[in-house]
Amino acid sequence: MPRRLNSSGLIAGLCVALILGLLLAVGSGPISIDPLLLLNSLFASSDSAGDAKASQYATIVQHIRLPRAILAALVGAGLAASGAAMQGLFRNPLADPSLIGVSSGAMMGASIIIVLGSGFTAGNTLLGLTAVAAGAFAGGAISALLVYRLATGVTGTSVATMLLAGIAITALAGSVSSLLEFISDNEMLRRISLWRMGGLDGASWQRVGIAAVAIGVLLVLLPRYSVALNALLLGESEARHLGLNVQSLKRELILLVAFGVGIAVALAGTIAFVGLVVPHIVRMLIGPDHRSLIPASALAGAVLLLIADAFARTIIAPTELPIGVVTAVLGTPFFISLLRQRHEYGMR
Amino acid sequence: MTLQLSGIDVVRSENTLLEDVSIEVEPGRVVAVLGPNGAGKSTLMNVAMGDITPDAGSVQLNGEPLQEWESRHRARIMAMLPQLSLLNFPYTAEEVVQLGRTPHATGRLVDKQVSREALAQMDCLHLSERLYPQLSGGEKQRIQLARILAQLWNDDIDNSRYLLLDEPTAALDLAHQHQVLNVVRQRAQHNYGVLLVLHDFNLAASVADDILMLKDGRVVASGSPDKVLTSQCIEEVFGASVHILPHPVTGLPVVVG
């Protein structure tokens, strides 16, 4: 008998954890702020002449930590929800945006815009950011479609071929990115390598705004595919026999996932394993029903990235670790343990 | 009101998989397709479900071309049990059966009740809390069959429906083979047309109103079991010599090797 948690209970618990995680992320850092002062600094005006310390705290909280925490939560939610949808689409619990070339494709798309489009993106930061995000989205979408085409034959999508195609696409995209670095100047090189490591240190309210719109759209649209994804787990022809238009479903979901991951990569660089590990754990807790899996994964991804980012900022403060390094260090052992137990998940 | 395939040709990379196959499944009747491996039985099922577009011929469902049906609407009156299931996510058996309700909009309560009834009909209520990937092959097959039953479940009994089963008894023990065939007969009485692929002549003889014998994509014989199941026909199609005896109780033909 499986022991499952009540899914609405888990979602409620994750909502509480999200609020606590936000408070933790805003309160922790080189200067730690205790909860009472924190609430005060959230609403105080930063240029109030009265208390110098209160005004300093208000500046830190409102202009540095709060946008960063919200960006972390949005990116984590987007990555985890995309991962959940992608695992359902591929009918494989080990599918992850970074394993099947989406992340490196998005990286390549971003590099192309940074290097070749620098003429029209250099002046305006908002335009530059959106153009790079669009490049990342296009690169991610093309990679996802390529991998999907390569791995899908008459008998359905083959897991082994999918992973191998992912390696091929990752290698190709990586070499294109290297070539671009080779021809780029110092300023471009710096921007590309900052991207590669991934990080939320560039967080600003402007970026939060972009992320909120893009990931908000993703989080509104993805749950509409829950019932279809549930049926798709049975197999493509079974889903078709249940009255679903599988072909357009696959296309729309690939575009949505590439969009979600592309935006996340555009705003925070490549952050490994959130899209793989979070939906996986949630599925073990509450089962594979996407009606609760997608929202619960989004919440859990937000909490995980908030905590990972707080960790990255404080562990060797004042120096920051790139958050991609933290999630990779946490995620790799988990991924290896999944590979070792793959038979329990029906992998061949 | 019938599922009608007429003059179906399917050619794939110069191999003729089906040639001029016609078949009619009326509500209330059970049609069994027999034939050696590679005869085109599964291809025929896939054509009937609309998964394969035939190179010639047409498929009509209740008088309308199959491809003109709205897919959700079609899914409420026509369902297929596939030969093997690839599902490897940890759904419970009951959740798998509930997936059969996807084309309906009857609400969670009705869906749950229908799923319980379908599980009960397949003698699987005791499996409902078990994880599907951990079930045995035969149990999986019965759960999938319960899912198909849930998909077609409808209170409107005048509504004709079609059940396509590709080797439904393949992984089952003797008792459950008979149980599946009882369900098939019972569904036929509820105005379902059933098209099923079988390998066992005697099961086919006991359940089918009509038998279609396929060889190399062509119909060799079709009609009632006692007309089709002759030693001459079976020898021609399967290349094995057999004897036909009358069943001691039912009088239906029994094929003995």
Side-chain angles (χ1 to χ4, degrees), chain A residues 1-2 4 87 91-93 227 230-231 233-234 237-238 240-244 283 288-289 291 345-346 348, chain B residues 49 51 71-72 75 80 82 84 87-92 95-96 99-100 102-103 108 129 131 144 147 151:
Chain A
M1 294 285 165
R4 285 194 185 163
Q87 289 169 10
R91 291 189 295 286
N92 183 332
V227 172
N230 283 345
L233 292 188
L234 287 169
S237 51
E238 284 87 341
R240 207 177 308 118
H241 298 165
L242 285 167
L244 299 171
R283 195 181 291 110
D289 187 340
R291 284 172 296 189
Y345 304 100
R348 281 170 290 272
Chain B
M49 272 319 282
D51 285 348
S71 54
R72 258 169 72 103
M80 172 160 150
L84 95 170
L87 176 63
N88 59 21
F89 276 75
Y91 279 123
T92 62
E95 285 173 327
V96 172
L99 289 178
T102 305
R108 281 194 194 209
E129 294 297 314
L131 288 183
Q144 290 285 351
R147 173 175 72 80
Q151 182 181 341

Side-chain angles (χ1 to χ4, degrees), chain B residues 26-75:
Chain B
E26 287 173 33
R29 287 184 82 79
V30 179
V31 181
V33 181
L34 294 176
N37 296 332
K41 303 183 296 290
S42 292
T43 309
L44 182 66
M45 300 296 265
N46 288 328
V47 169
M49 272 319 282
D51 285 348
I52 294 179
T53 311
D55 297 281
S58 71
V59 184
Q60 306 257 331
L61 177 60
N62 289 351
E64 264 185 76
L66 189 66
Q67 63 271 19
E68 282 175 22
W69 278 76
E70 200 267 311
S71 54
R72 258 169 72 103
H73 193 187
R74 195 192 75 186

Side-chain angles (χ1 to χ4, degrees), chain A residues 24-49:
Chain A
L24 171 80
V26 175
S28 64
I31 297 172
S32 79
I33 302 172
D34 66 60
L36 231 131
L37 267 173
L38 188 64
L39 285 177
N40 188 29
S41 356
L42 275 175
F43 303 107
S45 155
S46 54
D47 49 28
S48 64

